[in-house]
Amino acid sequence: IAFMGFYGATGNAQPDSLPSVQGTLPHFIQEPEDAYIVKSNPIKLRCRAAPALQIFFKCNGEWVHQNEHFSQEYKDLNTGLKVREVMINVSRQQVEDFHGPEDYWCLCVAWSHLGTSKSRKATVRIAYLRKNFEQDPQGKEVPINGMIVLHCRPPEGVPVAEVEWLKNEELVSSLTDDNIDTRADHNLIINEARLSDSGNYTCLASNIVAKRRSATATVIVYVNGGWSLWTEWSPCNVLCGRGVQKRSRTCTNPAPLNGGAFCEGMSVQKITCNALCPIDGAWDKWSEWTLCNSQCERQRSRECNSPAPRHRGKMCEGNSEATENCTDGLCTQNRKLLHDVKPQSMESSNDVALYSGLGAGIIAVAILVVAVMLYRKNRSEYGVDVIDSSALTGGFQSFNFKTTRQGNPLLLNSSMQPDLTVGRTYSTPLCFQDSADKDLFDPLPDIKVKVQSSFMVSLGVAERAEFHAKAAAETFPRDLSRDYCSTMDRRKKGLLTLNGPFNICKEQLRTTGVFGHPGGRLVVPNTGVSLLVPHRAVAENMSWEMHVLINRGEASVQTLEGCEILLGPEVTYGPPGLDLLCPVAMTIAHCAEVDAENWNIQLKRKTQDSKWEDVMSVEDESTSCYCLMDLTSCHLLLDQPGSYALVGEPLTQAAIKRLKLAVFGSMEAGSMKYSLRVYCVDDTPHAFQGVVAAEKTKGGQLLEEPKMLPFRANTFSLQVSIQDVPQFLWSIKPFTTCQEFSFPQVWCSNQQPLYCAFSLERYSPATAQLSCKISVRQVKGHEQILQVYTAVAETDKESVPFFMQTDCTITSQTGPKAFKIPLSIRQRICATFDTANAKGKDWQLLAQKLHLDRNLGYFAKQQSPSAVILSLWEARHQDTADLDSLASALEEISKIHSKSSPKDQDEPESDLNHIQASSLCETGKLTSHKTEDSAPEYTG
C-alpha cells in the first residue's frame, strides 16, 4: 500500500515525466547481470528502462526498500524517450543471511501507464576458490614418442576456476604447438613425447578471487638404448693353437638418455679360432757330386723340403749348394793355381757348429710350444668367455632392456641350496639377559687374509641401469617373514615364499603373563617389542592374563593407503576386554630416521573389520594417546587393547629409512661351489628375525657384522655387487657380479627381508679361504661395504645357533623386580609431584627435567600424572640399568627450588632431598641385588 501510494504520487507528475510516445509498456535497455561478491566488497545491480515512471528491485521475492535505490533519469537523444536508470548495492552479509532453495536473486520491475515489465533474474553468489586441488598431476616417465597425459582437477570454486598449465614456470599453449592439447577436461595431453617435453609441469587454477598452484609433476622423457652394428672380427689372439676372436658393439644407436634402459645382451661376442702352428723348414739330403768341369770344380745341392717351411715357419739356415775342387788343387790354367785345397778338418768343424745350433733352436721351440699348450689347457677351465682377463675387465659390458618402468623383479639364483654351519650371531637389546648371555655368541671367523685388488668383473652398468638376465627362470623376491611352521607355495603380487619350512612357530612371537596389582613387564624376545604394565594398573584382588603378539601376515600391509609403509611390526596386546586403571607403556622398534620435515608418521589401530584407523600423528598432541619417538624405538601410552602399527609417509625425497645389511655364506655339500647371500631388511630386530630364521634352516654362516645403510626416498634403486674376488682361486659366472633391487621393492618391503645371491666356484679343493667385498649402494645415495674373510673348507662342527628365543628366555616379569625404580621411591615421587605447588615443584617440572614435556595435556587428564611419567621413563630406559638420569633430574629440581625459596628450604624441601638421596642409595642396592639375586625372581 505504501508503495502504491508512492506510485500514485509519482503519477501526478505524469505529463511532465512521460515521453511523447504514449501507450507502450516499459522496455528494458539494461537488465541486471549475474554477479559475484569478492571477499567483503558489495556488488552493484543496475536496471535501465524506457518509458518508465518508476523502477524497483525485487530480491528473493521481496521488494527492496526505496531508500536503497539510487535512480536517475535522462533523455535518449536518438529516440527522444526519457530513460530511467536504477541501481542497488548487495552486500556479502545479505547473501550469507539468505537461506533458500536457490541462489540469491534479484530482478527489476518497471511501471508505465499501460502496466509493468519484469527483467531477467540476476543471481548473486559469494566468490571463493578452495586451496587444495581435487587431483594433482602426477609425475611420469615415458618413452620417446609415447603419449603423456597429466590429469588435473582444480579446486572447487565459484565461479568455476579456469585452468592453465606451466612448464618450468612458463605458460604452455596449445595454440602454438599442435602436439599439445589442453582442452580435454583441464588435462594436459602431449600426443608424441619429445626430449624437449621433459620438465616440471604445474597446473594453475584461477578465478576472480585467487590463483592456486598444484603440486609440481616431473615428466621425464627417456630413450631406451639400441645396439650399433657389430665390428669386424678381430684376428685370432694366439699365433699357435686354440684362441679367441672378438667383435663388439656399443649401446649408442641410440644411446640411453634420461634413465632409459640399456641394451639387452652382450656388448662383446667371442668365437674360438684355431691358428696353425708355424713349421720350420729342414734340409733334405745332399745330392750326388757332379762331374768335374773344365774349371776343376764339382757341385752338389740340397732342398729345404724335409719338411718345407709352412705357416710362417723359418727357412732353412745355410747354403743350398756346395762347390769343391776336384783335382786336389792340381788343376791349372794359364799356369796359375785355380783353387786352394781346403783342409778337411776345417770343413768338418764348420758342419758340427751348424748342426749344434740347429738342434738347440729346435729344442727351445719345442719347450715353448709345450709351455703354451699347458697354459692354454689350464686356462680353458674358465670356458671360452674368460680366456683372457682383458675380455673380462674391459670387454664384457652387460646391459639391461627395460620392459616396464616399475616393479622389476629381483634376480636370484634359484639353483643354490646350501647346507652349512652357522658362525656369527647377532645381538639385540630389549632382553632380560643373564651375564652368561654373551657366551652364546660365536665370534666371526678370525682369518688373517690380505685382500688384493687383483680381479674384478666390471659390468659397466650406468647409475640407473637395472640388471636383469633372461636365464633366471624362477627368480622372485623371497618373503622371509611368513609363518615358518608350514610350507607355503603361493604367489601374491609377484612374491614367493622360500621353499621349505623354517621351523619357527608362531608361539615364538607371542608372549603371555599373568599380572595383578603389582604390575610387570612383557617382552617379545629379539624383536624390540615390550609392554610395561604399571603398578596399580590392575585393581586389587584381580589379575589378568595378558599377551603381546606380532602379526607376521601380509593382510595389514595390503590395507595401507597411498605411500604409507610400515616402520615397525604390527603389535597386538590384550585380551580385548582388558580393563585397567591407568595406561600401559608399549615399546615398538622402528626403522625411520625421524624428521618432521621429511616424514609424516602416524600411529594406527586396526578396527574390527580389519581396517586401519588413525589414532594420532607423532608430532601432534592428543589426550587419548601419547607417542614418544626415539632414534630407534617408539614408546606409546595406551588405554585400549588392540592391534597397533607405526606407519610412515615420506613428505620429501630426503626421507630416510634404515636398512640392515648382512652377508651369509655356505658351501654346497660335495661340490666346489660356495654361495654368498646378501640380505637387505628394515633395520628393526623383528625384521632381522626373518633373516635369522631363513639362514638357520640353511645352516648359513654370518660372514660380517651386519651394517646399517640409510635408504633415501629418492626413487632410485639399490645395487648389490661383489668385488675383488681372487681370480686365480675362484671363478664367478659372468654377468652375475651386480644385481639390483628396484626402489619400490626396497621402500615398500614392510618388514619383509629381501636377498640376492652370488655363486662362486673354486678351482682347487686346496683353496680353503675366500676374501672379497660386497658393495651395497643406492644410486645417488649412500654405500656400505661388507668385507668377507672366511674359511670355506667343509667341517663337521655343529652349527652354533643364532640368537632366537632360547637366547633370551626371560619374557615375563611381575612385581617390583620388573621395574628399575623401587616402589617406595616411586610412591614418594608421586606423592611429592602430583600435588600442585605454588613454588613450581609439580609434575610438569618433573616432565620437563625428564625431557617428556610435550603433550602435557595427556598427563594432566591422568589420575596420577607423575606415575604415568615414570612409567614412560621406565619404558624408555628399559635397556639400561642406570638410574642416574632420574637422580640428576631430582637434583636439578632440588637446586631450582632451593634458589627460589631459601627461607623455606627446611620444610618441604627436605622431603625432596630425601627422595633424591634415597634414589641414589637404592640405585646402588638395586644394581648389586640384580646381579646376585635376579634369576630367582624371573618368571616366564
Side-chain angles (χ1 to χ4, degrees):
I1 295 175
F3 173 74
M4 294 306 295
F6 178 78
Y7 176 80
T10 58
N12 294 333
Q14 176 181 337
D16 298 330
S17 59
L18 285 178
S20 58
V21 178
Q22 297 277 341
T24 61
L25 289 172
H27 170 68
F28 285 98
I29 301 173
Q30 179 181 356
E31 296 184 271
E33 297 180 352
D34 297 338
Y36 299 95
I37 294 178
V38 179
K39 296 183 179 179
S40 298
N41 301 321
I43 55 98
K44 302 180 185 297
L45 296 180
R46 301 176 187 271
C47 247
R48 285 189 294 170
L53 297 175
Q54 287 295 337
I55 301 175
F56 281 91
F57 274 90
K58 193 175 187 179
C59 295
N60 304 316
E62 297 181 359
W63 295 103
V64 180
H65 196 275
Q66 63 184 13
N67 294 337
E68 299 179 14
H69 290 74
F70 302 93
S71 62
Q72 63 178 356
E73 192 176 61
Y74 61 90
K75 186 176 181 179
D76 191 342
L77 298 178
N78 294 327
T79 62
L81 298 176
K82 287 189 177 181
V83 179
R84 179 173 291 276
E85 180 177 353
V86 178
M87 180 189 70
I88 64 171
N89 291 328
V90 179
S91 67
R92 182 186 183 99
Q93 189 65 39
Q94 289 176 282
V95 177
E96 289 179 344
D97 292 342
F98 172 70
H99 302 285
E102 54 186 354
D103 293 329
Y104 190 100
W105 59 269
C106 293
L107 57 79
C108 294
V109 181
W111 278 265
S112 70
H113 281 285
L114 293 183
T116 62
S117 296
K118 293 183 179 180
S119 70
R120 65 179 293 273
K121 284 184 179 181
T123 60
V124 180
R125 305 175 67 185
I126 297 175
Y128 67 92
L129 184 62
R130 300 196 185 279
K131 292 184 179 181
N132 296 327
F133 278 70
E134 294 184 3
Q135 182 179 8
D136 285 306
Q138 301 296 320
K140 294 181 179 295
E141 295 182 358
V142 296
I144 194 168
N145 298 326
M147 177 178 285
I148 303 175
V149 179
L150 296 180
H151 298 280
C152 176
R153 292 174 61 189
E156 179 186 348
V158 173
V160 176
E162 296 181 356
V163 172
E164 296 177 306
W165 284 90
L166 300 178
K167 175 192 173 185
N168 298 331
E169 302 303 325
E170 294 183 0
L171 192 63
V172 176
S173 175
S174 59
L175 300 178
T176 58
D177 193 344
D178 296 336
N179 194 36
I180 297 177
D181 184 5
T182 59
R183 297 169 295 176
D185 296 331
H186 309 305
N187 298 329
L188 174 65
I189 300 175
I190 302 177
N191 297 314
E192 293 185 3
R194 302 155 296 193
L195 289 176
S196 60
D197 292 325
S198 297
N200 296 321
Y201 289 82
T202 307
C203 184
L204 185 65
S206 61
N207 63 6
I208 59 177
V209 180
K211 290 184 178 181
R212 307 290 187 214
R213 292 169 60 96
S214 70
T216 300
T218 301
V219 174
I220 298 176
V221 180
Y222 62 88
V223 178
N224 289 326
W227 288 115
S228 64
L229 297 176
W230 288 103
T231 61
E232 297 294 330
W233 289 104
S234 66
C236 199
N237 66 337
V238 296
L239 299 178
C240 175
R242 186 170 176 266
V244 173
Q245 286 180 284
K246 304 179 187 176
R247 67 173 182 175
S248 62
R249 57 180 177 176
T250 58
C251 191
T252 56
N253 187 31
L257 290 176
N258 296 336
F262 283 82
C263 305
E264 181 189 37
M266 294 188 299
S267 62
V268 176
Q269 275 188 349
K270 294 189 288 187
I271 59 174
T272 57
C273 56
N274 289 303
L276 298 176
C277 296
I279 299 176
D280 295 336
W283 290 115
D284 196 3
K285 293 181 179 180
W286 287 103
S287 62
E288 297 294 333
W289 288 105
T290 61
L291 297 175
C292 199
N293 59 19
S294 59
Q295 300 297 325
C296 303
E297 293 177 340
R298 62 178 182 178
Q299 290 87 24
R300 65 176 180 177
S301 62
R302 58 180 178 178
E303 293 184 0
C304 188
N305 59 2
S306 184
R310 288 179 297 174
H311 313 312
R312 305 173 306 280
K314 295 181 181 180
M315 291 295 295
C316 301
E317 295 181 0
N319 297 323
S320 61
E321 294 183 353
T323 302
E324 68 176 5
N325 186 278
C326 54
T327 61
D328 293 331
L330 301 180
C331 181
T332 60
Q333 184 176 5
N334 298 328
R335 300 185 180 275
K336 291 183 178 179
L337 188 64
L338 296 180
H339 294 282
D340 292 330
V341 179
K342 295 181 181 179
Q344 186 68 26
S345 59
M346 181 179 296
E347 180 178 350
S348 61
S349 64
N350 289 338
D351 290 341
V352 171
L354 173 63
Y355 288 114
S356 299
L358 286 176
I362 292 174
I363 292 173
V365 170
I367 293 174
L368 178 61
V369 170
V370 171
V372 170
M373 293 301 292
L374 290 176
Y375 176 78
R376 302 313 305 163
K377 181 178 180 181
N378 183 43
R379 299 301 294 163
S380 65
E381 295 181 5
Y382 256 121
V384 175
D385 290 334
V386 287
I387 286 180
D388 61 347
S389 61
S390 63
L392 288 172
T393 57
F396 277 80
Q397 294 190 2
S398 173
F399 298 93
N400 152 308
F401 180 74
K402 187 177 294 184
T403 56
T404 60
R405 293 291 298 172
Q406 67 261 26
N408 294 314
L410 167 68
L411 287 185
L412 302 175
N413 191 341
S414 60
S415 64
M416 293 185 295
Q417 298 178 356
D419 183 12
L420 297 178
T421 60
V422 178
R424 176 65 169 166
T425 60
Y426 178 71
S427 60
T428 180
L430 252 183
C431 173
F432 305 127
Q433 292 185 351
D434 301 327
S435 60
D437 281 350
K438 50 189 165 184
D439 297 333
L440 296 174
F441 304 120
D442 189 42
L444 290 169
D446 186 15
I447 299 175
K448 307 296 184 181
V449 180
K450 183 178 179 181
V451 180
Q452 300 178 352
S453 300
S454 57
F455 179 70
M456 170 181 171
V457 179
S458 174
L459 290 177
V461 181
E463 278 192 338
R464 295 194 65 183
E466 301 175 17
F467 182 83
H468 293 275
K470 289 184 176 180
E474 295 184 6
T475 54
F476 299 88
R478 305 295 177 146
D479 181 1
L480 301 180
S481 185
R482 297 289 184 90
D483 178 9
Y484 301 129
C485 297
S486 61
T487 303
M488 302 177 66
D489 184 14
R490 55 176 181 169
R491 297 171 182 253
K492 188 168 188 180
K493 297 181 179 180
L495 295 178
L496 278 183
T497 58
L498 285 173
N499 293 328
F502 296 141
N503 298 322
I504 299 179
C505 298
K506 291 183 178 179
E507 286 74 14
Q508 288 184 310
L509 296 180
R510 178 186 178 101
T511 300
T512 60
V514 178
F515 298 95
H517 189 67
R521 191 192 303 263
L522 282 176
V523 172
V524 183
N526 306 308
T527 62
V529 175
S530 66
L531 183 74
L532 180 75
V533 183
H535 176 67
R536 293 185 178 178
V538 180
E540 291 190 43
N541 301 322
M542 285 192 64
S543 63
W544 287 92
E545 183 178 358
M546 301 178 62
H547 65 264
V548 177
L549 61 90
I550 297 178
N551 183 11
R552 286 177 175 259
E554 288 184 350
S556 301
V557 179
Q558 296 169 1
T559 56
L560 295 180
E561 300 177 354
C563 300
E564 295 177 340
I565 61 172
L566 282 178
L567 298 179
E570 176 196 339
V571 181
T572 302
Y573 87 92
L578 183 64
D579 184 17
L580 300 178
L581 302 180
C582 62
V584 298
M586 178 185 288
T587 298
I588 302 176
H590 67 81
C591 62
E593 290 198 0
V594 181
D595 187 347
E597 296 181 357
N598 300 324
W599 279 103
N600 175 27
I601 300 178
Q602 298 274 345
L603 176 66
K604 296 200 173 190
R605 178 172 51 222
K606 185 177 289 186
T607 60
Q608 293 182 352
D609 55 353
S610 297
K611 293 183 180 180
W612 288 106
E613 63 178 4
D614 293 337
V615 177
M616 68 173 292
S617 172
V618 297
E619 296 299 326
D620 297 338
E621 295 194 357
S622 171
T623 58
S624 63
C625 180
Y626 190 97
C627 183
L628 176 65
M629 293 291 292
D630 281 341
L631 293 178
T632 59
S633 297
C634 174
H635 308 285
L636 307 171
L637 293 176
L638 303 173
D639 295 320
Q640 301 178 14
S643 297
Y644 293 87
L646 202 63
V647 175
E649 180 180 6
L651 301 179
T652 68
Q653 291 192 358
I656 291 177
K657 83 166 185 175
R658 303 186 309 275
L659 296 180
K660 185 174 292 297
L661 310 176
V663 56
F664 291 82
S666 58
M667 194 78 190
E668 294 187 14
S671 71
M672 306 280 280
K673 292 183 178 180
Y674 191 81
S675 173
L676 289 177
R677 294 177 295 281
V678 182
Y679 290 85
C680 303
V681 60
D682 293 349
D683 188 14
T684 62
H686 161 259
F688 193 69
Q689 284 300 299
V691 177
V692 173
E695 288 298 326
K696 184 178 178 66
T697 60
K698 297 181 179 182
Q701 182 180 11
L702 183 64
L703 304 181
E704 167 72 321
E705 188 72 21
K707 294 185 178 181
M708 190 276 290
L709 175 72
F711 189 77
R712 302 173 67 92
N714 59 4
T715 72
F716 287 93
S717 57
L718 188 71
Q719 295 178 345
V720 183
S721 60
I722 184 171
Q723 303 172 4
D724 292 349
V725 180
Q727 61 172 328
F728 298 108
L729 301 176
W730 294 87
S731 68
I732 185 170
K733 294 181 180 178
F735 319 122
T736 62
T737 58
C738 181
Q739 303 187 33
E740 185 159 338
F741 298 101
S742 66
F743 174 81
Q745 286 177 308
V746 182
W747 187 256
C748 303
S749 60
N750 289 312
Q751 305 289 299
Q752 310 297 321
L754 301 172
Y755 85 87
C756 61
F758 300 98
S759 179
L760 296 90
E761 186 172 0
R762 52 183 175 174
Y763 291 116
S764 170
T767 302
Q769 294 177 350
L770 171 63
S771 63
C772 63
K773 292 192 298 186
I774 303 293
S775 169
V776 184
R777 63 180 292 269
Q778 184 184 18
V779 177
K780 296 187 178 180
H782 295 81
E783 180 181 17
Q784 272 286 15
I785 299 295
L786 299 172
Q787 189 72 59
V788 176
Y789 305 93
T790 184
V792 298
E794 294 189 51
T795 176
D796 295 332
K797 174 186 174 182
E798 294 184 0
S799 62
V800 179
F802 284 103
F803 68 90
M804 294 299 293
Q805 185 169 340
T806 56
D807 293 337
C808 184
T809 58
I810 309 305
T811 62
S812 174
Q813 281 184 303
T814 58
K817 293 299 181 181
F819 304 98
K820 291 182 169 50
I821 305 175
L823 180 58
S824 58
I825 300 300
R826 178 187 180 95
Q827 291 174 341
R828 289 186 183 183
I829 293 176
C830 293
T832 303
F833 289 98
D834 278 346
T835 304
N837 191 306
K839 300 173 183 178
K841 189 180 61 176
D842 61 0
W843 61 266
Q844 296 187 26
L845 184 58
L846 177 65
Q848 178 185 353
K849 294 304 177 182
L850 294 180
H851 307 291
L852 302 173
D853 52 344
R854 59 177 300 274
N855 198 7
L856 295 179
Y858 179 83
F859 298 126
K861 76 161 192 172
Q862 304 297 327
Q863 183 178 2
S864 175
S866 300
V868 178
I869 292 173
L870 294 178
S871 295
L872 186 58
W873 184 91
E874 287 267 8
R876 193 178 191 182
H877 296 84
Q878 60 185 313
D879 297 329
T880 61
D882 188 9
L883 294 176
D884 287 346
S885 62
L886 180 59
S888 299
L890 295 174
E891 183 178 2
E892 290 183 18
I893 296 173
S894 174
K895 291 179 180 178
I896 293 174
H897 182 59
S898 62
K899 291 180 181 179
S900 62
S901 57
K903 294 181 180 180
D904 303 330
Q905 215 169 337
D906 296 335
E907 297 178 2
E909 188 60 28
S910 60
D911 186 44
L912 185 61
N913 289 332
H914 180 66
I915 294 174
Q916 177 191 341
S918 300
S919 301
L920 295 174
C921 181
E922 289 287 346
T923 301
K925 292 180 180 179
L926 182 65
T927 304
S928 61
H929 183 71
K930 280 190 175 181
T931 56
E932 295 173 5
D933 305 324
S934 57
E937 299 294 335
Y938 292 150
T939 60

